Structures are given as structure tokens and as C-alpha cells.
Amino acid sequence: MARVHFTANLRRHVDCASMEADGGTVREVLGHVFAVQDRLGSYVLDDQGALRKHMTILVDGRRIDDVERLSDAVSPASEIWVMQALSGG
Amino acid sequence: MADHMIVSTRKGLFDVHREGGGWTVGEGSFLGDNVTLALHDPRDGADYAALNHGHFGVKLHRRDRGGTWQEIATPAYPPKPEGLDDRDGWNRPVKWTTQLIWSLESGGADEPGTIWAGTMPGGLFRSRDRGDTWEMIRPLWDMPQRNLWTGGGADIPGIHSICVDPRASQTVRIAISCGGVWVTHDGGATWRQSAHGMCFDDGPPGFAENPETQDPHMMVQCPAAPHRFWVQHHCGIWRSEDDAQTWQRVHARPSSFGFGVVVHPNDPDTAWFVPGIKDEKRYPVDGRLVVTRTRDGGQSFDVLANGLPQAHAYDIVFRHALAGDDTGERLAFGSTTGNLWVSEDQGDTWETVSTSLPPVHAVRFTS
């Protein structure tokens, strides 16, 4: 199972510890995560299920390409990081 | 008379209380987070706070009277149909996601639990269960005229004013920057444009008077005379005496430009505004911060400055940051500079509550 990590900034709003989840794509893995923690989904994805504008996801250190459908492939050993850009005042 | 208010700011929401004859900034909630708007529902005492986390999107929280804040559902847009080329009045693609909750209002006295929310990019939502679930008002969103709407100061259009008619809760009027004024008499099933008489000062023929693209900044309805309305528009001040069917322009000094408007709850001829130099500048005329008040339906305006800074004031007061209480005696406003003032005599004199708040988005008196 892939392992999904969340940043401290996100954990300030939603209790989301790192967790393991099945799936062949980023969307499938996150779907399993959000099934456990349903409030988390709206913090990461917009109303259409696309990655929010100032969020990014790294799979094994590489930024995903498909921010709309989250179709990037994930292996059982993958490390997935859900991160936000650091900006603002 | 209200002794409390809730102040929404760029860095949190603050409870402000009247104590010992003066006003004090009390406990803060959501410190560090961008609270863009709050609602106090006098029917059950609950408060609602809209947050915009930027990275993590828009969220909504509710605090029951005497309770703590709990996150509730956020109005969400339905799935955008595959292949739909949906564009706004500037021909830019419309993103079907809540980008700002720009208006929050209680439903009628006969519909407890009903809350209305207006959003950017222009969707109107209703909850019948105090925000636990929301329904989008699809007939408004699906109108072809929506594709004429544009952003005003913002990049995208939005609903900033919602007036639920005290005579009939199914009659609701909304104002849109920039999309005019819309009215429904059947709880949102059908809608009709209602900004006739408003106009821009510039623009090509057919544009300036087109109600579909007017930019009302804020619209209010007098509770005691609900056929009477006031609008602070991008190009000036308008009033209506016929249920917002037609609008007449009035002129104020030192300026008719501004964002907010408050109408006296018992006297439709009395209204307050905070003027600034018109749109390309947006700061108080001559750096002197004043409130304008009419008591005769806009024929004349008092310029109220007692207690307000009269030199080097560059405060702008956003549309939801000017508030009145349920008696019409008390007024308050907060500014982009983080100042907060209150008046207990209809604006004749002003007390400074704070000069060091974060930029203020919205002020509401609470019961």
C-alpha cells in the first residue's frame, strides 16, 4: 500500500496523520484516504474534484502531472506527499 | 439595542462588547485565519463564520449561542457537465467551485433554520438545516444571462447582497457585482432582472444602462418599509420606492462612491454611507474619513466627521464592514487599515474601538 503524508499546515485544520492506502493512481489512493477522513477531501480538492490551485502532490519526490483527474500512477511502495505552496501575508 | 458585534478580519474573528460605557475588543476566534464574513441569526442566536484558507479553500463554521465553533458544510458547486463551454461576460471560463462566500443571510421568520449564501463565482445556495447541508439554486445558475456577469473589483462575479422580504419569505432579491439585481417570488424557482434605472457613467451605447451588467456594490431593504431599497452602486447611490422595480439616482457630497450602505430599520428615508474618491483611487476625499447620512431619502446628506480622523486617513470600508443595529441608533464600521469605530447616536459622534485590528472585512451587531 502507498503511504500518504500531510503537512503540518493541513493538520492544523484537519486531524490527518500519515496513513497507508491502496490504489493504482493518486485519485484512487486519496479516495481511500478521504473515505476514512471525509472532511479532508474539501481541503485538498475543489468542488470539481481537481487539486486546489495552491496545492501540490508529490509521488516519490516527483510532482504529479494531472492536477485535474489525479491519474498519475502510484505503486504499492510509493510515498505520496500532499503539500501546499507557502505564500501569502 | 445591541451591545455586541462580531468583526471579521484578515486574521481572525473578534467578539466586541460594550462594557462600562465603552466598547472593547474581546476574544478572538480563528486567529491567523482569513475570516471573510460572519452572520448572526437572531432567530436562534447562532453565529456563522466564513473562512477563506487560500490553499485549503473556503470553509464555514457555526457557533450556537454560548457554544464553540464547529465546522459545517460549505456550499459546493455541482459537477460541471463534461464539455460545457461556460464563460463569463469577459469570455473567461467559469470555474465551478466556491471561491468566496460573499453573502450570508437568515431566511424569514417563518422558516427557522433556513440560511442563504451568495458566492463567487455567482452561485446562490440555500440551507434548510442551519448549514448542515446546502442546495444550489440551479434556476439562477442556469439562466443564460449569467454568462453576461463579470467581476467588478474582483476577477469573477459574485453575489454580495441577499434581501429576504419580510412580507413573504419566498421573495428574495439579490445583488451581483456585476450582474444587476435579481428577484424571485417563488423561493428561487424563477428569477427576473430588477436593476432598471441604474447606469454606468461611461461605456458604449447600450452598455451603460444595461441592467444585466450593473455593478451594485451593496443593496439593503428597509425592514419597516420593505418596498424601499437603497443601493451603493459603483457609480453612485440609487434608491427605489417600488419594490426594486425601478431605481432613482441621488447624489451625495463629498462623494457618491463607496461600498457599504445601511438603512435605518424603522425609517426608509434615513441611510448611511462611507464615501471615497471614485473607483480608480478609492480612499477618503482629501484624506478625511467621513460618514454621509441622509434623513430625507437622498435629497440632502449630512457629513459626519466627529471622532473620525480628518487628516491622512486612507481607510476603505468594504461593503459588509458598515453595520447598523436593530434600533437604528448604533452604527459601526471597520476599515482596510484595521480601524474600528462605533456610534451610539446615529453617526453624530464616533468612538474609536481599535486602531490595530487586521484589515476588516465585515462587521455585524449581534443580539
Side-chain angles (χ1 to χ4, degrees):
Chain A
M1 287 194 287
R3 186 155 194 87
V4 188
H5 306 274
F6 303 96
T7 62
N9 279 4
L10 187 49
R11 293 200 301 272
R12 189 165 78 81
H13 301 291
V14 185
D15 182 16
C16 50
S18 297
M19 62 179 291
E20 293 186 336
D22 283 323
T25 65
V26 171
R27 181 168 299 282
E28 289 174 7
V29 172
L30 290 183
H32 289 123
V33 171
F34 297 156
V36 176
Q37 174 49 281
D38 61 346
R39 206 157 63 83
L40 181 58
S42 76
Y43 281 74
V44 178
L45 307 180
D46 69 16
D47 296 357
Q48 301 303 310
L51 192 63
R52 287 196 178 278
K53 184 177 177 184
H54 297 295
M55 298 292 287
T56 191
I57 295 176
L58 306 184
V59 177
D60 300 324
R62 183 174 179 277
R63 186 180 308 223
I64 64 170
D65 294 322
D66 183 2
V67 297
E68 298 286 333
R69 299 177 184 278
L70 312 180
S71 62
D72 293 60
V74 170
S75 74
S78 286
E79 296 282 330
I80 300 175
W81 280 84
V82 178
M83 304 178 67
Q84 75 289 331
L86 293 175
S87 60
Chain B
M1 215 169 302
D3 288 337
H4 306 272
M5 53 178 131
I6 43 179
V7 179
S8 306
T9 80
R10 179 66 182 81
K11 295 292 182 184
L13 181 140
F14 297 91
D15 289 290
V16 177
H17 309 282
R18 190 176 193 274
E19 291 176 350
W23 291 79
T24 304
V25 178
E27 192 175 349
S29 305
F30 312 109
L31 290 180
D33 293 328
N34 186 17
V35 181
T36 56
L37 188 64
L39 166 70
H40 174 73
D41 189 340
R43 300 170 303 177
D44 61 8
D47 295 324
Y48 296 81
L51 279 66
N52 188 352
H53 288 302
H55 302 92
F56 307 130
V58 172
K59 301 290 179 281
L60 198 55
H61 296 251
R62 183 181 66 222
R63 172 177 68 180
D64 292 328
R65 193 190 292 277
T68 57
W69 291 101
Q70 302 288 330
E71 186 175 336
I72 56 176
T74 303
Y77 282 65
K80 186 175 184 178
E82 197 79 30
L84 176 67
D85 186 23
D86 187 32
R87 292 175 181 270
D88 68 14
W90 297 123
N91 205 28
R92 296 183 179 120
V94 177
K95 202 169 168 57
W96 286 36
T97 195
T98 299
Q99 291 162 70
L100 187 71
I101 293 177
W102 212 15
S103 44
L104 277 173
E105 295 295 342
S106 306
D110 59 338
E111 45 183 14
T114 293
I115 305 288
W116 293 86
T119 68
M120 287 184 186
L124 178 67
F125 295 82
R126 176 174 51 207
S127 172
R128 297 189 189 277
D129 54 12
R130 307 171 74 240
D132 289 336
T133 61
W134 293 90
E135 59 170 320
M136 188 198 220
I137 306 300
R138 280 304 290 258
L140 182 74
W141 184 247
D142 291 337
M143 294 186 315
Q145 294 96 322
R146 177 177 62 80
N147 297 104
L148 299 172
W149 299 355
T150 64
D155 291 338
I156 54 176
I159 300 169
H160 48 65
S161 301
I162 301 171
C163 299
V164 178
D165 198 305
R167 299 164 295 186
S169 301
Q170 297 304 298
T171 294
V172 178
R173 294 172 181 83
I174 61 171
I176 299 163
S177 288
C178 303
V181 173
W182 290 86
V183 57
T184 178
H185 295 292
D186 50 20
T190 58
W191 293 86
R192 184 169 50 76
Q193 176 60 249
S194 194
H196 303 89
M198 297 181 196
C199 65
F200 290 103
D201 293 331
D202 291 316
F207 170 83
E209 295 84 12
N210 185 356
E212 307 286 0
T213 53
Q214 292 300 310
D215 186 12
H217 282 177
M218 183 76 182
M219 177 174 70
V220 292
Q221 181 176 20
C222 180
H227 61 295
R228 297 282 301 274
F229 289 78
W230 288 91
V231 157
Q232 172 66 68
H233 180 281
H234 187 83
C235 290
I237 298 169
W238 269 263
R239 45 167 278 176
S240 173
E241 295 187 352
D242 59 4
D243 291 309
Q245 294 183 72
T246 62
W247 295 86
Q248 295 79 43
R249 191 173 191 173
V250 300
H251 297 276
R253 291 285 179 267
S255 164
S256 293
F257 179 85
F259 294 95
V261 51
V262 165
V263 61
H264 192 292
N266 301 315
D267 176 10
D269 284 331
T270 297
W272 294 264
F273 305 82
V274 185
I277 300 174
K278 79 174 183 66
D279 59 344
E280 66 273 25
K281 298 271 189 174
R282 304 186 183 206
Y283 68 90
V285 177
D286 297 328
R288 299 174 62 230
L289 182 62
V290 301
V291 172
T292 54
R293 176 185 62 202
T294 179
R295 291 190 182 280
D296 54 15
Q299 295 180 58
S300 64
F301 285 82
D302 304 318
V303 178
L304 311 171
N306 192 348
L308 301 176
Q310 295 303 293
H312 286 297
Y314 301 99
D315 301 71
I316 278 296
V317 179
F318 286 147
R319 69 202 76 222
H320 302 117
L322 171 65
D325 80 347
D326 56 359
T327 67
E329 290 298 315
R330 292 182 174 171
L331 297 156
F333 67 98
S335 76
T336 50
T337 314
N339 295 314
L340 179 66
W341 292 276
V342 64
S343 172
E344 300 188 349
D345 53 12
Q346 300 196 13
D348 286 337
T349 59
W350 294 90
E351 172 193 339
T352 301
V353 180
S354 177
T355 58
S356 58
L357 287 172
V360 174
H361 296 306
V363 175
R364 293 256 192 174
F365 283 97
T366 68
S367 56

